[in-house]
Amino acid sequence: APLIEMVLSFLKSAFWKNVVATTLAAQVAVLPLLLYNTGNLSLVAIPANLLVVPLMPLAMGLSAFAGFAGMLLAPFGTGFAPALAVLLAVPAYLANAYTVFIAEQSAALPFAAFTLPSFPFWLVLVAYAGLIYLAASKRFSTMLQLRFAKKAST
């Protein structure tokens, strides 16, 4: 993601720069394996992920809270405890329902995905070798740019 963030320097918001870079990095990292396993190339994955990614930490936190609340309230299985557990789970449900809604609606769009011809495994290996080279190469290293930026600022 740091390499992609450097390309996204035109984005002023650090939050959105991070969201877009993380989404693009994840898509690039899994694309060779997805093409090999499914043969599907999604054209809506990146926009859909950009709509969902900012909400994911909240959805995960609310889900964890609802799960712990359910475990703590389970011994009190009668009276108000089950209703309270359900009530505490509603925010998590809403956040996760939004995620599912975006996934379903984006997948239903026309031309949302294309099925490609067989993607050979050797091409997956070549793609990952290229990604590893790009990430590990000193020429593309972010440390070098950070070092130059630090020297320039002093």
Side-chain angles (χ1 to χ4, degrees):
L3 293 174
I4 296 173
E5 279 187 9
M6 290 186 328
V7 174
L8 297 173
S9 60
F10 63 90
L11 290 175
K12 300 300 179 211
S13 169
F15 172 77
W16 283 108
K17 189 185 300 184
N18 189 347
V19 167
V20 172
T22 303
T23 299
L24 291 175
Q27 291 293 323
V28 167
V30 300
L31 185 62
L33 212 52
L34 280 175
L35 291 176
Y36 174 72
N37 284 330
T38 67
N40 291 332
L41 175 64
S42 174
L43 300 179
V44 297
I46 292 173
N49 281 334
L50 289 175
L51 291 172
V52 171
V53 165
L55 190 65
M56 276 295 94
L58 179 65
M60 291 169 49
L62 290 172
S63 297
F65 174 73
F68 285 127
M71 287 189 307
L72 292 175
L73 294 173
F76 310 105
T78 59
F80 74 95
L84 181 59
V86 169
L87 186 63
L88 292 174
V90 168
Y93 170 79
L94 293 174
N96 289 305
Y98 169 76
T99 302
V100 171
F101 174 78
I102 294 296
E104 289 175 345
Q105 295 304 310
S106 62
L109 291 171
F111 305 109
F114 289 101
T115 302
L116 299 176
S118 179
F119 196 79
F121 186 70
W122 67 266
L123 206 50
V124 173
L125 296 176
V126 169
Y128 281 120
L131 285 173
I132 290 169
Y133 172 77
L134 184 67
S137 172
K138 289 187 190 290
R139 191 171 73 178
F140 295 108
S141 172
T142 57
M143 289 305 296
L144 193 56
Q145 283 89 5
L146 292 175
R147 226 178 288 139
F148 286 139
K150 187 175 181 181
K151 283 182 183 178
S153 66
T154 56

